[in-house]
Amino acid sequence: MRTLLLTPGDIETAAELIRQGELVAVPTETVYGLAANALDTAAVNKIFTAKGRPQDNPLIVHISDRRRLPELVTHIPDDAVKLMDAFWPGALTMVFGAAACVPSAVTAGLPTVAVRFPGHPVMLELIKAAGVPLAAPSGNRSGLPSPTLAGHVLDDLDGKIAAVIDGGPCEIGVESTVLDMTGGTPCILRLGGVSRADIERVMGKSVTLDTHSEKPRSPGQKYRHYAPVKPLAAVSAPIRDERGIVVICPEEQAHLYSNAIIYGQLSQPETLARGLYAALREADKTDADRIVAVCPDGEAFDAVRDRLRRAEQEHTT
Ligand code: AMP
Ligand code: MG
């Protein structure tokens, strides 16, 4: 298959491919997604094949209008309405009871479905033009760092998908926060673009955090994820420079290393999330033997630290 490189002006072409059951990679404000018609089982199955994704890892369904939510879910709790008012469109995914129309390929057979109303104009236009909700995990080969540029998608999936829409770099750079709304107290299953503190402020109460569950409810908990090919160690404070390492670090620390890749600035925590995956991919292309990533402690860096810890685990477990 030849993968078409499209621009945001080619939405109609992309929407037609989606309607025909093909896969289109598309920019969102978090990372690039690999989209298919969420209501078409055959199309959804192609996502798993193209990515090499385990079948029991469910997908997020993306909508462009809150009025489409009741068709996909069995119940919308009051807390969810508050959160939608505050964070949709945006980087918050919520898990609800799944309506019967949602294919089990999307939910991986779970009784629940994850739904997000993204904010990126290209993604929104694609959903509207296709006229269907889009199932879309990150557009990388399973296990590798998520793509934040169209070129990252092509590095992993060229020839395996119908098209990629180049919408430039992703603003947030890490995936959405996943919040389970099906229990009494909402539970964060994956840290991401919306912080725990902001969620708790809007709800006026605390939420629980379960990103290490023994019985994974969220793929981000279970699988090898976000990992570069070279061995990676994540540290919270600067280390001594060594031969053979490439250090991914904030700009303020780059002078400490002979082989540094800057992924953002400490003074602006959101820039570290934005630059993380591109830096991991770039580090893999160097001739260093291993990668050290420096990410400070502190809540502002929670999502980045979470991704680095999982990427690190890949090489130690
Ligand atoms: P990806 O888009 O590849 O980053 O992965 C999809 C994400 O969706 C996972 O990390 C999960 O956190 C989340 N997800 C999708 N469906 C469900 C579900 N039914 N229950 C819990 N989490 C889900
Ligand atoms: Mg992913």
Side-chain angles (χ1 to χ4, degrees):
M1 172 185 303
R2 202 171 69 82
T3 300
L4 296 174
L5 181 57
L6 303 177
T7 71
D10 300 319
I11 285 293
E12 264 316 316
T13 306
E16 183 53 29
L17 288 168
I18 293 285
R19 284 191 295 266
Q20 289 168 2
E22 297 297 335
L23 305 184
V24 176
V26 54
T28 82
E29 70 273 44
T30 57
V31 300
Y32 272 72
L34 181 60
N37 177 354
L39 304 177
D40 176 346
T41 296
V44 169
N45 281 333
K46 289 182 185 174
I47 292 178
F48 291 88
T49 306
K51 287 189 52 127
R53 182 177 175 101
Q55 289 282 346
D56 62 348
N57 189 348
L59 306 175
I60 295 170
V61 177
H62 296 75
I63 55 176
S64 59
D65 183 336
R66 275 168 62 164
R67 284 172 298 185
R68 296 300 296 267
L69 184 62
E71 300 161 25
L72 299 170
V73 308
T74 51
H75 172 63
I76 303 174
D78 293 344
D79 278 341
V81 175
K82 268 195 213 169
L83 292 166
M84 281 181 239
D85 288 343
F87 300 115
W88 278 10
L92 178 68
T93 295
M94 284 188 273
V95 174
F96 302 93
C101 69
V102 183
S104 66
V106 169
T107 63
L110 294 170
T112 54
V113 62
V115 185
R116 182 162 90 91
F117 177 177
H120 196 291
V122 175
M123 180 61 156
L124 291 174
E125 274 180 47
L126 182 62
I127 301 169
K128 285 179 196 152
V132 289
L134 298 181
S138 51
N140 52 286
R141 203 149 56 73
S142 195
L144 295 182
S146 299
T148 54
L149 291 171
H152 296 160
V153 177
L154 289 173
D155 286 345
D156 284 13
L157 301 176
D158 195 13
K160 296 188 166 143
I161 62 176
V164 53
I165 306 173
D166 188 349
C170 299
E171 172 85 18
I172 294 177
V174 292
E175 297 79 357
S176 59
T177 300
V178 178
L179 190 61
D180 184 356
M181 303 305 296
T182 62
T185 302
C187 178
I188 295 179
L189 301 178
R190 178 175 74 182
L191 295 161
V194 174
S195 76
R196 179 182 190 170
D198 284 345
I199 289 170
E200 292 184 334
R201 183 178 45 73
V202 164
M203 297 211 322
K205 63 181 180 192
S206 51
V207 298
T208 53
L209 181 71
D210 181 12
T211 59
H212 317 273
S213 176
E214 281 301 303
K215 46 162 190 34
R217 286 181 285 175
S218 194
Q221 299 174 329
K222 181 175 176 185
Y223 295 101
R224 170 186 183 247
H225 252 77
Y226 322 117
V229 176
K230 292 183 199 288
L232 173 103
V235 296
S236 58
I239 54 150
R240 189 164 353 154
D241 202 9
E242 259 177 63
R243 275 165 60 100
I245 62 170
V246 55
V247 181
I248 296 176
C249 65
E251 187 173 11
E252 291 89 337
Q253 299 167 0
H255 66 278
L256 299 172
Y257 308 107
S258 54
N259 193 6
I261 296 174
I262 294 169
Y263 72 115
Q265 292 89 40
L266 281 178
S267 55
Q268 288 172 282
E270 72 280 5
T271 61
L272 295 178
R274 192 177 300 146
L276 176 69
Y277 289 137
L280 288 172
R281 283 174 179 265
E282 195 185 328
D284 253 346
K285 291 186 182 151
T286 67
D287 54 13
D289 304 323
R290 54 195 187 88
I291 305 169
V292 177
V294 190
C295 175
D297 291 328
E299 194 177 346
F301 308 105
D302 272 355
V304 169
R305 236 185 3 261
D306 171 82
R307 300 307 185 269
L308 287 173
R309 212 188 55 241
R310 291 173 202 283
E312 182 181 38
Q313 272 169 12
E314 160 60 12
H315 298 285
T316 55
T317 59

